[in-house]
Amino acid sequence: MDVPFLLSRAQMRRIEPFFPLSHGVPRVDDRRIVSGIVYVIKHGLMWRDAPKGYGPHKTIYNRFIRWSRLGVFNRIFAELAGQAEEPDAIMINATHLKAHRTAASLLKGGLPRRIGRTKGGLNSKLHAVCDGLGRPIILLLTEGQMSDHKGAVLLFPSLPRAKVLLGGKGYDSDWFRAALESQGIDVCIPPKANRKVQYYYDKQLYRQRHKVENMFGRIKDWRRVATRYDRCAHTFMSAISIAATVCYWL
C-alpha cells in the first residue's frame, strides 16, 4: 500500500476504543482511513487530492464528517489528555485562526459557525489550557471577536487543580483572579498598566509561558488548522483535536 503516512499499530490501539461499532457491512480498514484524514488535515489538501493509497477520497471525507458529528475526535483528545498526571502549573492563552473564503459565512440554519468579524477579517479563536510541559489539555473554539477574559470564564469550570496558572495581561481581571484563588490556584498574570494597584507576579516563572505559544505554532503547522476551510464548527474543531492529539498525545 503506497501511502506517505500511516499511524502505527500502537497508536491505533490507543484510539480504537473510541470508534463507533460497525453495523452490518464491515468498515474499510480504520487505520488506513484515519491516517488519510490525518494526512489531509496536516497538509491542507482538498479531500479529492488525498493520495490514492488511502482509498476513495469520498470514503475518507464521509468518515471524517460522520465521526465529527458524533464528536469522536473531540472525545479522543479529551480522554487521552485526561490520562496525564495532574499538572502543578497550567497556562492559558488564545490565538486567531483565519477563515478561508469557503468557510466565510456566519450562520447556517440558525446554528453558530464560531466565526466572527474582527479587524483582520473573518476568523475563529482557539482558546487553550496547557500543562507545564506545553501540552494542550483543554481546547475551546469561539468567534474571533471574543475576548481572552470571556474565553477564560467559559474555560474556568473545566480547569484542573493546579498550584499556579500563567496567563497574559488579557486575563488580568478581578473576577478571574478571585475565582482562581478560591480554588487554591496561585496567579501568575502581569497586571495591566492602568491598574491603580499593581499585582505582584513571578517574572521568572512567567517566562515559561512561551511553551503555550510553541504549542499554538506546532498545531498551526497543520494547514487545515492554520486556515479554516470548514464551514461547520464541529468539523473544524475535529481537525484541531486531531492535530493536538497526534502532536502531543499519541
Side-chain angles (χ1 to χ4, degrees):
M1 182 173 59
D2 184 20
V3 295
F5 167 80
L6 198 62
L7 291 169
S8 70
R9 297 191 184 280
Q11 290 174 322
M12 286 299 296
R13 282 195 294 271
R14 296 196 66 194
I15 63 178
E16 278 177 337
F18 304 100
F19 297 166
L21 296 177
S22 178
H23 299 286
V25 179
R27 281 200 304 261
V28 177
D29 181 25
D30 286 334
R31 184 184 178 201
R32 177 162 55 88
I33 296 300
V34 174
S35 297
I37 292 172
V38 170
Y39 188 85
V40 168
I41 292 171
K42 185 172 185 178
H43 295 276
L45 303 178
M46 299 177 69
W47 293 101
R48 65 170 175 263
D49 293 332
K52 301 298 183 183
Y54 292 119
H57 71 272
K58 286 188 176 180
T59 302
I60 301 172
Y61 171 77
N62 290 336
R63 181 81 60 87
F64 173 70
I65 295 298
R66 185 167 66 250
W67 284 9
S68 293
R69 289 172 178 166
L70 295 175
V72 172
F73 302 110
N74 296 343
R75 284 197 299 274
I76 290 174
F77 166 76
E79 290 293 331
L80 295 185
Q83 292 174 9
E85 295 182 358
E86 196 169 87
D88 288 334
I90 54 178
M91 296 170 278
I92 187 171
N93 206 348
T95 187
H96 284 97
L97 304 169
K98 182 72 174 179
H100 189 263
R101 62 177 179 80
T102 58
S105 60
L106 300 182
L107 292 174
K108 178 184 178 182
L111 297 176
R113 298 280 201 184
R114 304 301 180 206
I115 297 176
R117 193 181 302 279
T118 67
K119 291 181 179 179
L122 293 177
N123 53 44
S124 299
K125 197 169 189 179
L126 177 63
H127 306 259
V129 176
C130 296
D131 63 11
L133 298 176
R135 300 176 300 182
I137 52 179
I138 305 174
L139 297 172
L140 173 68
L141 185 68
T142 69
E143 295 78 5
Q145 74 272 17
M146 179 174 286
S147 68
D148 291 352
H149 175 258
K150 289 183 179 179
V153 173
L154 296 176
L155 289 170
F156 178 76
S158 302
L159 291 181
R161 293 186 177 275
K163 294 180 181 179
V164 62
L165 178 140
L166 287 69
K169 290 185 179 181
Y171 300 97
D172 177 31
S173 73
D174 293 333
W175 178 90
F176 195 44
R177 288 179 179 273
L180 292 171
E181 291 173 357
S182 70
Q183 297 296 318
I185 301 175
D186 292 335
V187 180
C188 186
I189 298 175
K192 296 177 181 177
N194 60 357
R195 271 193 175 276
K196 293 182 179 179
V197 177
Q198 293 291 300
Y199 288 96
Y200 167 80
Y201 71 101
D202 189 334
K203 295 182 180 180
Q204 186 68 27
L205 177 61
Y206 185 73
R207 292 179 181 176
Q208 298 296 317
R209 191 168 161 270
H210 73 277
K211 294 178 181 178
V212 68
E213 300 287 355
N214 293 344
M215 182 276 297
F216 280 137
R218 189 174 177 186
I219 290 181
K220 290 168 79 170
D221 283 341
W222 292 52
R223 295 181 182 178
R224 287 189 73 101
V225 173
T227 302
R228 176 174 176 173
Y229 296 94
D230 302 284
R231 289 190 181 94
C232 297
H234 63 268
T235 54
F236 185 51
M237 190 63 210
S238 291
I240 295 170
S241 295
I242 289 170
T245 300
V246 174
C247 287
Y248 290 96
W249 299 112
L250 280 183

